[in-house]
Amino acid sequence: MELWDLYDKDRTPLHRTHPRGTPLPEGAYHVAVIVVVVNSKGQVLLTRRAPEKDACPGWWENTGGSVLAGETSLQAIQRELREETGLLAEPEEFTLLLQEDCRGDTHFDIFALSREVDAGTIQFQPGETDAAQWMPLEDWEAVAGTTGTLCPAQRESCKQELYRRLEQYLQGKREFS
């Protein structure tokens, strides 16, 4: 059974854990992480959700998942990337692009990571992912959040800020406030 640490709307720890898969108490949130993996060609790595997933089976997404109790966001994104793609990265290789708070019952930390890897070498996690592809950044921005492709950010203002920061990341910027 996976446990999540709980937070309030301001990300203040509530010093309680909660079992995944059960409704969160009112006013409680957990943290999830997503990574936008990009290459030097300005492409975004997407994985396809396995057909047995409850939510959005067969949709393309950026790698991510929930932060487990006791984990930091960086530890969680390293784990999720390894589990879902087989890719390894050190904590200092990730750049925190954006935090989107109070999206449903979740606070999201959205990271960027640069990687040069053939999509055909991605190792899929059974029950989680079953395919991978590189997509040009402009094409991804056009379809992210539409039917068939999930977007790391949900609110329009957050999407636009994410895209802006991702462009800056591709130009070498690694610190965002």
Side-chain angles (χ1 to χ4, degrees):
M1 174 177 58
E2 290 184 1
L3 294 176
W4 295 335
D5 288 322
L6 294 181
Y7 300 85
D8 70 9
K9 66 179 177 53
D10 299 315
R11 284 193 186 226
T12 303
L14 297 176
H15 305 291
R16 299 191 326 251
T17 59
H18 187 80
R20 178 183 184 149
T22 61
L24 289 173
E26 189 171 331
Y29 299 81
H30 73 100
V31 176
V33 292
I34 300 170
V35 62
V36 181
V37 179
V38 295
N39 64 19
S40 61
K41 298 175 188 172
Q43 297 172 317
V44 176
L45 181 66
L46 299 175
T47 56
R48 189 172 61 201
R49 294 171 63 84
E52 57 268 29
K53 295 287 289 182
D54 289 336
C56 304
W59 286 37
W60 293 95
E61 68 178 348
N62 304 93
T63 299
S66 294
V67 177
L68 302 179
E71 279 186 322
T72 65
S73 288
L74 276 173
Q75 291 168 332
I77 200 57
Q78 277 185 284
R79 176 183 50 77
E80 290 289 346
L81 184 68
R82 183 184 66 251
E83 288 175 356
E84 294 185 9
T85 67
L87 298 176
L88 303 176
E90 295 299 320
E92 60 272 11
E93 294 180 88
F94 293 94
T95 296
L96 180 61
L97 288 177
L98 187 70
Q99 293 182 310
E100 185 176 9
D101 289 332
C102 302
R103 186 165 111 194
D105 59 8
T106 309
H107 297 303
F108 282 88
D109 290 343
I110 305 169
F111 293 89
L113 175 70
S114 295
R115 271 296 178 274
E116 303 299 323
V117 62
D118 182 332
T121 65
I122 299 297
Q123 299 170 16
F124 306 115
Q125 182 181 15
E128 291 288 331
T129 55
D130 68 359
Q133 68 172 330
W134 285 103
M135 181 179 282
L137 179 63
E138 304 79 34
D139 295 350
W140 173 70
E141 288 179 1
V143 298
T146 64
T147 300
T149 307
L150 297 172
C151 184
Q154 187 175 53
R155 290 189 292 275
E156 192 58 34
S157 61
C158 289
K159 278 187 202 180
Q160 294 312 311
E161 185 64 14
L162 172 65
Y163 300 155
R164 186 182 73 76
R165 290 182 181 194
L166 193 54
E167 289 284 348
Q168 292 175 331
Y169 175 85
L170 288 168
Q171 295 169 9
K173 186 171 181 178
R174 296 297 186 265
E175 295 281 331
F176 298 91
S177 52

